[in-house]
Amino acid sequence: MIVTTAQLFKHAYGKYAVGAYNINNAEQAMGLFKGCIQSKAPFIIQISKGARKYTDKRMLEAIIRAAGVIFPEAIYAVHLDHGDEETCYECIDSGFFSSVMIDASHDPFDQNVAITKRVVAKAHAKGISVEAELGMLGGVEEDIKVEDGNACLTDPDEAKTFVEQTGCDCLAAAIGTSHGAFKFKGKQSLHFDVLQKIKDRLPHFPLVMHGSSSVPKDEVDRINSAGGTIKDSMGVDPNEYLPAAKLGVTKVNIDTDGRLVWTRVHREYFRDKPGDFDFRPPGKIFIEEYAKFIASRNQFLGSAGQLDDLRTSLTK
Ligand code: G3H
Ligand code: 13P
Ligand code: ZN
């Protein structure tokens, strides 16, 4: 069942965070639905502009619709990740997305407010939730690269003004993470101080944490033992997901970790079977491994085991 992110956040707020997982193909869709059903967790499917272009946006939509039929007990939102204004309107009009993200965080504050307000008006008219972003994460997102020095944490006072002026349903706040596999040099921790200040100014308002992959060391080591050369990677400690959730983070974005699972499975498979060329055996292993990974993240997020209670609360 497709629901809005606002419906998911109402149930999760202050108790747990909902995992928002980026997908691009059928194998990821199967692993994601399987892992969430196994762990009895609601979830958010994230679709980036790059994912929509990878095969064809209609292909990805069809894959997700099919997964919804295969797993009828699943409860999830379908969300546009890092949208520009034009793509938001396309997704709002598609009749398929239940949530969009307008990312005008690279624009000056007033312009970010103006663009976000326009998207909120169109989305809310159709019952669709809107995520906006304030502050800048480091790393690479879509076709934009933010150098480390240009990344800046969200200002808590600005966050309050921004939410009041735009009417967005949730806010992506920059609290020290970045996209990709190289998030921290040295000490690894979220800025809980900033999070606490935002919560003080915006009590009960859902926050989003981008760049939340944990970049597991054992995963990277296995990739490197099978021919990879990923150096100096570091992610978010997954033990910090739940403390962040208690401070209002209700959506935790994870993409890179899924790519690492894919890379590990395929590198190891073809290293061990250099004569093979059928992609289905490693594809099947990937689906199972990705499902296991998703279920484990849902445990850290506290979303595991929430599905039945959420279902009951939605029918009240
Ligand atoms: O924040 C960006 C996400 O990880 C999506 O990545 O644009 O390469 O699909 P992508
Ligand atoms: P990661 O690169 O940490 O997986 O973050 C993904 C993300 O924030 C998607 O919007
Ligand atoms: Zn992101």
Side-chain angles (χ1 to χ4, degrees), residues 22 24 48 50-51 81-82 140-142 179 210 255-256 259:
N22 290 70
N24 296 265
S48 70
D81 190 29
H82 292 288
V140 182
E141 80 191 28
E142 293 285 352
H179 292 109
H210 282 247
D255 182 7
T256 298
R259 297 178 186 203

Side-chain angles (χ1 to χ4, degrees), residues 47 52 61 79-80 85-100 128:
I47 304 176
R52 294 176 88 230
E61 280 192 26
H79 175 79
L80 169 68
E85 195 172 359
E86 190 191 331
T87 313
C88 280
Y89 296 150
E90 216 184 286
C91 293
I92 289 166
D93 291 337
S94 72
F96 182 59
F97 284 75
S98 61
S99 175
V100 293
I128 292 168

Side-chain angles (χ1 to χ4, degrees), residues 7 12 18 25 30 54 62 68-70 103 113 122 146 157 175 179 192 205 229 234 247 253 267 282 301 303:
Q7 284 172 295
V18 184
N25 61 20
M30 281 303 284
Y54 171 53
V69 174
I70 298 165
D103 181 358
V113 168
K122 288 220 162 90
V146 180
D157 291 322
I175 51 168
H179 292 109
F192 284 105
F205 189 80
T229 55
M234 197 186 271
L247 291 174
N253 288 12
R267 277 198 179 276
L301 293 164
S303 62

Side-chain angles (χ1 to χ4, degrees), residues 238-250:
N239 292 300
E240 294 194 338
Y241 293 162
L242 209 45
K246 308 275 178 197
L247 291 174
V249 171
T250 47

